[in-house]
Amino acid sequence: MTDDRARVVIVGGGVAGASIAYHLTKMGWGDVLLVDRSDLTSGSTFHSAGLVGQLRSSVTLTRMMMYGVELYRRLAEETGIDPSWHEVGSLRLASSKERIEELQRLAGWGQTFGLPLRIVSTDDAHDLWPLFDPAGIEGAAYLPTDGYLDPTNLTMALVEGAKRGGARVWTSARVTGVDVERGRVTAVRFADRGPVQAETVVNAAGMYANQVGSLAGVEVPVVPFAHQYLLTKPIAGVRADMPTIRDPDRLVYFRPEAGGGLVAGGYEREPAPWSWREGPPADFNHELLEPDWDRFEPLGEGAFSLVPAMESAEVVRMINGPEAFTPDGEFILGESDIRGFFVAAGFCAHGIAGAGGVGKVIAEWIVHGEPELDVWKMDIRRFGTHYRSRRYALARSVEIYATYYDIHYPNEERSAGRPLKTAPTYERLRRLEAEFGEKAGWERPNWFRTNEDDRLEHLRPRGWAGAHWSTAIPAEHQATRERAGLFDESSFAKIEVEGDDACAFLERICANRIDRPIGRIVYTQMLNRRGGIECDLTVTRLADDRFRLISGTAFGTHDLAWIRKQLGEHEAVRVHDVTGALACFGLWGPGAREVLQPLTTTDLSNEAFPYMSAQDILAADTPCLAARVTYVGELGWELYPSVEFARSLWDALIEAGRDRGLAPAGYRAIDSLRLEKGYRAWGSDITPEDTPLEAGLEFAVDLEKDFIGRDALEVQRQTGVARHLTCLALADERAMSLGNEPVFANDAVVSRVTSGGIGYTLGRSLALAYLPSGLGRDSALSVEVFGERVDAVVADDDLYDRSGKRIRT
Ligand SMILES: Cc1cc2nc3c(=O)[nH]c(=O)nc-3n(C[C@H](O)[C@H](O)[C@H](O)COP(=O)(O)OP(=O)(O)OC[C@H]3O[C@@H](n4cnc5c(N)ncnc54)[C@H](O)[C@@H]3O)c2cc1C
């Protein structure tokens, strides 16, 4: 080991950097250098309140938090430094019926991966935490394995563990430059010492992560916010072993202090971004902001009304410290577009709870090239280029912070920073009274209010699922099944891969065979080395050396990054994102041919234009690629005109469909249509943790050829898969599962719903879930929807148009 070289340099000696160093050394990578511009823990870590709550918005993140607890339990013994882990449990109070429903939903979800979360009565909660006023409290969720600790000691324990594994630590070592050569990181430069060559650099610089990222040309859209809590002198009745407690309706949280006082903090409705445009000042080390009592006032009121003893308690001090938040409230992790340059930042006031899991995930990612868990929701690649706008990142982050404790209903839409990206037809869609949703910055019609039909009101799902719903959804569904639907899908991610080696390259990264005649469309997945599904898309061969890849709106940046990462240095391949250059209209339904044929001289008959083929056509004077594919299970085409033609083609299609019952239709109808056809959705039904064999996608895999992930699939094929993605039909067609509900077989939890919804043609409530392969056919299945068990049966054989006749004729 020399001072001018390290295998990995970690920038930032807060809890995240320390944990990454710890986990790398545990995995046998001792040549690690952890650097901080000041002392260890001089960023957000030293002023953290130290609460460790495990329940979070996604399965992966919750599993990461659960791992953290396991780690914090054993660190004192392992390293000799005690992080003062207090496993006191946590209470989350409910002051309304909706909040209890939310907790029930979370408790059901928690069961699916062994989180011991349970709903307790107000009395039981009060026994555990006698200082709160039980008036108006409807119950609580209790998680006995949550707790709190000392963040500085936690960091020091992790650093000690890392040092024992060979890591070096430099303090007062400010990073001022990151060298990048041919898209790959090569070295780190310092203010006061010589450069250090490194093949991997991790930006764990907390609220300074955007500044450190910019040294490598990487945008990290963290936004610092001032976050406050106060500490009181001892209050009678407070014990150090009392659970931590949150009352989301009053926006506050508490934890006991070792000396008998309370820590009380929360999330204000009027958040205070700080240094958001330019980043924190260079000399802001080990510092706090001035207490902002006015801003704390609403939290104080909430705290006093819940815990009356607080009112007379003496405040020792108010801590006002900045912390990095993100535009969607999720962490920012992973390898950036610059190879070898990783980011681990933006912990949204959960960095202490998250540190264990973050360290493990990032270390695995560095050592194995991919993370083992599905971390897409936290992946830095989820942000499109529009997040380079600090103003946009700010607007989105403010909304997230201000609504942190709100109940977030499924299918709820956010409003900050909209509209941003719009399809060429946007004004036309507005005139049709589109109810827009937003994905990856795009405005997309969820449904059209002009299609609403009161006669379909009886189909409204019960409970929460009926909140963001409209009768237009089943109306558009029916129109597509019976006549024709026209969908503006211009936001679909469109990637072109071209060059002499394009075909061979795609063969190597796609599980299906790509080398097919020009005009053929191939449905395929791209897999990681474990056989997990990284991308799910169609590939259309446009020329010998040119292919167009289509995937979901939200996955473009991810898929592009994945594809580019697989590209060898000497491969003659160019990869372009053409999303914005092309519109896309999905025209589907039994009447699709009759709508389109009069607009074109191309023969659209099944013989001349078969399923899974594409042709350049002229439709209503508009040149476009017509691709005969479907995600809704009906005959039809996706039409890709370049944007300047989009409006006239849209108008012509609407006009041509006028007498044929064509309806403009939105994404919520697509979701119902695809579900009853059994089509999978990436990110929920299929993820990097699931293989095509488990997901029932073996028809899209060609094991005869070589491709990334093939060896893992071959092993799986020989040994057999342990679980299968299965479609369940619920006995109650208005009980709609929204995803993550537990699935029971004979009263034991065996799985969780990956996605669910109502198939309006089948007249059934459907849910996809991975069921264990050995499950007996006679097992009594049920799905817990909002605390209520609903019987279910396997419905794979009863899905819509099993033979595929409707899409192939
Ligand atoms: C008031 C408050 C209460 C909180 N309460 C909780 C809680 O109860 N539970 C919880 O889980 N989380 C809580 N948090 C959040 C938690 O403290 C943070 O998420 C966590 O500490 C972030 O750790 P980090 O390592 O990412 O960043 P930091 O601790 O900020 O570390 C980043 C480090 O990078 C260094 N650095 C920056 N630029 C450079 C450079 N150019 N060269 C070298 N080094 C550099 C800095 O000096 C700094 O030490 C709270 C935060 C605040 C503000």
Side-chain angles (χ1 to χ4, degrees):
M1 258 189 243
T2 58
D3 270 3
D4 59 0
R5 186 174 294 278
R7 194 169 190 187
V8 184
V9 175
I10 302 167
V11 186
V15 71
S19 182
I20 295 164
Y22 171 89
H23 284 90
L24 280 169
T25 56
K26 284 281 167 221
M27 293 177 76
W29 281 35
D31 187 8
V32 170
L33 174 63
L34 176 67
V35 301
D36 198 284
R37 66 185 195 172
S38 177
D39 291 326
L40 297 175
T41 77
S42 56
S44 298
T45 299
F46 83 94
H47 53 247
S48 168
L51 279 81
V52 175
Q54 298 161 85
L55 185 67
R56 293 284 280 152
S57 57
S58 70
V59 179
T60 303
L61 189 49
T62 307
R63 276 156 70 186
M64 285 164 64
M65 302 297 200
M66 290 166 75
Y67 165 76
V69 166
E70 270 171 57
L71 175 70
Y72 304 159
R73 281 180 191 143
R74 63 178 145 87
L75 270 181
E77 200 180 321
E78 188 188 315
T79 66
I81 297 180
D82 185 0
S84 301
W85 171 240
H86 288 70
E87 193 159 318
V88 293
S90 73
L91 285 166
R92 198 178 181 89
L93 302 178
S95 309
S96 65
K97 189 172 149 292
E98 288 75 21
R99 189 67 74 175
I100 277 283
E101 283 174 355
E102 181 198 39
L103 297 184
Q104 271 164 348
R105 191 171 143 72
L106 293 173
W109 179 59
Q111 289 178 58
T112 66
F113 46 89
L115 189 73
L117 181 80
R118 61 174 197 269
I119 304 296
V120 296
S121 68
T122 306
D123 285 349
D124 287 347
H126 200 251
D127 286 347
L128 288 163
W129 222 92
L131 277 85
F132 79 78
D133 178 357
I137 304 291
E138 305 260 338
Y142 177 51
L143 182 46
T145 52
D146 274 354
Y148 65 94
L149 47 60
D150 180 327
T152 299
N153 285 1
L154 170 64
T155 311
M156 295 309 176
L158 290 165
V159 168
E160 177 60 25
K163 280 183 177 165
R164 290 184 187 182
R168 288 168 287 166
V169 179
W170 292 354
T171 52
S172 304
R174 181 185 295 268
V175 171
T176 52
V178 175
D179 290 357
V180 175
E181 278 170 32
R182 298 212 294 196
R184 175 165 252 303
V185 73
T186 55
V188 170
R189 294 183 179 275
F190 294 87
D192 299 323
R193 46 176 93 209
V196 173
Q197 313 291 323
E199 63 193 53
T200 303
V201 174
V202 186
N203 172 2
M207 62 186 143
Y208 320 88
N210 197 33
Q211 291 162 322
V212 171
S214 69
L215 302 176
V218 172
E219 183 72 32
V220 186
V222 291
V223 179
F225 281 77
H227 190 62
Q228 302 195 102
Y229 63 87
L230 54 78
L231 275 114
T232 72
K233 283 201 166 165
I235 297 176
V238 173
R239 299 183 324 264
D241 62 352
M242 275 166 45
T244 61
I245 188 166
R246 294 172 181 79
D247 184 345
D249 294 311
R250 290 182 173 92
L251 312 175
V252 287
Y253 62 76
F254 301 86
R255 78 158 169 79
E257 265 282 273
L262 279 177
V263 165
Y267 289 79
E268 319 82 309
R269 290 270 177 227
E270 303 286 336
W274 176 74
S275 291
W276 62 273
R277 196 188 290 276
E278 65 292 349
D283 54 356
F284 194 84
N285 302 320
H286 233 285
E287 285 199 46
L288 290 172
L289 306 171
E290 281 300 310
D292 186 341
W293 290 99
D294 289 345
R295 191 160 55 82
F296 198 79
E297 206 178 304
L299 300 185
E301 279 168 19
F304 297 159
S305 77
L306 183 70
V307 184
M310 280 285 295
E311 214 157 348
S312 50
E314 209 176 312
V315 173
V316 182
R317 67 190 292 218
M318 165 90 92
I319 303 282
N320 186 9
E323 158 70 346
F325 283 76
T326 65
D328 57 3
E330 304 287 347
F331 297 178
I332 303 180
L333 305 181
E335 192 171 15
S336 66
D337 285 346
I338 302 296
R339 285 196 198 178
F341 189 79
F342 284 74
V343 177
F347 299 125
C348 309
H350 288 78
I352 306 303
V358 165
K360 184 166 185 287
V361 162
I362 294 287
E364 287 166 355
W365 207 325
I366 292 170
V367 172
H368 301 313
E370 292 144 13
E372 284 174 17
L373 294 173
D374 166 25
V375 288
W376 164 239
K377 283 196 172 151
M378 294 169 255
D379 195 319
I380 186 167
R381 290 170 292 179
R382 70 187 183 276
F383 296 110
T385 46
H386 49 294
Y387 282 96
R388 286 189 199 142
S389 158
R390 297 301 294 158
R391 217 167 57 92
Y392 185 76
L394 173 75
R396 303 287 283 186
S397 308
V398 165
E399 187 182 39
I400 283 286
Y401 189 113
T403 58
Y404 173 76
Y405 271 141
D406 286 3
I407 296 172
H408 295 289
Y409 294 93
N411 296 319
E412 175 183 280
E413 295 288 347
R414 301 184 48 199
S415 54
R418 295 178 57 186
L420 183 66
K421 300 189 210 170
T422 56
T425 53
Y426 182 63
E427 287 307 324
R428 282 153 170 81
L429 304 177
R430 270 164 57 101
R431 280 203 295 275
L432 287 164
E433 296 181 33
E435 181 71 35
F436 286 102
E438 181 262 346
K439 235 269 149 104
W442 284 90
E443 294 296 319
R444 313 187 321 162
N446 280 335
W447 64 79
F448 292 87
R449 284 191 292 279
T450 42
N451 289 328
E452 281 172 358
D453 182 347
D454 288 348
R455 290 167 302 174
L456 300 176
E457 190 54 45
H458 65 282
L459 295 172
R460 184 180 289 276
R462 259 206 299 283
W464 281 24
H468 294 276
W469 189 88
S470 159
T471 54
I473 301 168
E476 292 165 12
H477 173 119
Q478 278 170 6
T480 308
R481 287 275 183 258
E482 291 163 14
R483 303 182 304 276
L486 182 60
F487 300 81
D488 186 318
E489 299 180 324
S490 300
S491 61
F492 270 10
K494 311 168 198 92
I495 298 167
E496 288 198 1
V497 177
E498 62 174 330
D500 290 347
D501 297 331
C503 186
F505 170 63
L506 288 172
E507 279 299 19
R508 184 160 61 77
I509 65 172
C510 294
N512 208 341
R513 184 163 295 282
I514 300 300
D515 191 3
R516 305 201 198 207
I518 293 168
R520 278 297 296 276
I521 303 173
V522 178
Y523 171 55
T524 187
Q525 285 78 44
M526 294 176 182
L527 310 182
N528 55 39
R529 278 161 187 80
R530 298 185 315 275
I533 301 172
E534 291 287 345
C535 312
D536 177 67
L537 29 74
T538 58
V539 179
T540 304
R541 189 167 205 166
L542 302 178
D544 277 341
D545 60 352
R546 192 167 152 236
F547 299 82
R548 184 175 297 164
L549 282 50
I550 304 293
S551 97
T553 307
F555 314 134
T557 49
H558 170 275
D559 292 359
L560 258 177
W562 177 263
I563 292 165
R564 287 191 169 132
K565 193 175 166 191
Q566 313 312 318
L567 199 53
E569 231 169 87
H570 303 294
E571 276 175 306
V573 176
R574 289 174 302 282
V575 181
H576 319 279
D577 179 4
V578 295
T579 301
L582 299 168
C584 173
F585 304 135
L587 171 68
W588 289 303
R593 193 174 274 127
E594 282 71 49
V595 173
L596 188 58
Q597 188 65 84
L599 300 180
T600 180
T601 52
T602 303
D603 180 356
L604 299 181
S605 68
N606 196 44
E607 296 67 38
F609 207 143
Y611 180 57
M612 296 306 270
S613 70
Q615 296 182 34
D616 281 315
I617 69 167
L618 264 176
D621 307 326
T622 298
C624 59
L625 183 80
R628 196 168 152 203
V629 282
T630 177
Y631 192 50
V632 303
E634 296 295 341
L635 166 75
W637 285 264
E638 281 173 3
L639 303 170
Y640 292 92
S642 65
V643 290
E644 68 274 26
F645 292 107
R647 280 177 290 269
S648 57
L649 180 57
W650 174 269
D651 291 343
L653 290 165
I654 290 281
E655 191 51 41
R658 198 171 297 284
D659 300 332
R660 294 178 175 84
L662 173 107
Y667 277 85
R668 294 287 296 281
I670 294 184
D671 213 37
S672 147
L673 291 158
R674 70 97 192 166
L675 203 59
E676 64 180 14
K677 182 72 184 141
Y679 293 144
R680 279 71 170 122
W682 193 80
S684 53
D685 307 321
I686 47 177
T687 74
E689 291 181 42
D690 313 307
T691 73
L693 305 190
E694 294 164 336
L697 295 173
E698 49 277 18
F699 68 87
V701 175
D702 184 352
L703 283 173
E704 299 299 309
K705 63 163 205 165
D706 201 17
F707 57 91
I708 298 172
R710 184 196 169 281
D711 294 349
L713 289 195
E714 185 57 50
V715 170
Q716 202 175 48
R717 193 177 64 92
Q718 282 170 20
T719 54
V721 293
R723 57 196 193 120
H724 277 104
L725 188 58
T726 307
C727 187
L728 302 173
L730 277 56
D732 176 349
E733 72 277 5
R734 288 186 60 206
M736 180 164 143
S737 48
L738 299 158
N740 285 329
E741 292 84 357
V743 179
F744 293 81
N746 303 330
D747 290 334
V749 177
V750 290
S751 186
R752 117 174 42 93
V753 172
T754 55
S755 69
I758 295 178
Y760 297 105
T761 303
L762 296 179
R764 304 181 91 172
S765 173
L766 303 170
L768 288 169
Y770 285 91
L771 294 190
S773 301
L775 205 65
R777 285 206 144 262
D778 50 352
S779 307
L781 297 173
S782 59
V783 177
E784 188 179 296
V785 183
F786 287 102
E788 206 179 294
R789 292 263 197 100
V790 183
D791 290 344
V793 290
V794 171
D796 283 331
D797 294 334
D798 308 325
L799 292 177
Y800 182 73
D801 187 30
R802 282 308 276 159
S803 68
K805 194 163 169 242
R806 293 177 76 91
I807 57 179
R808 288 173 204 279
T809 47

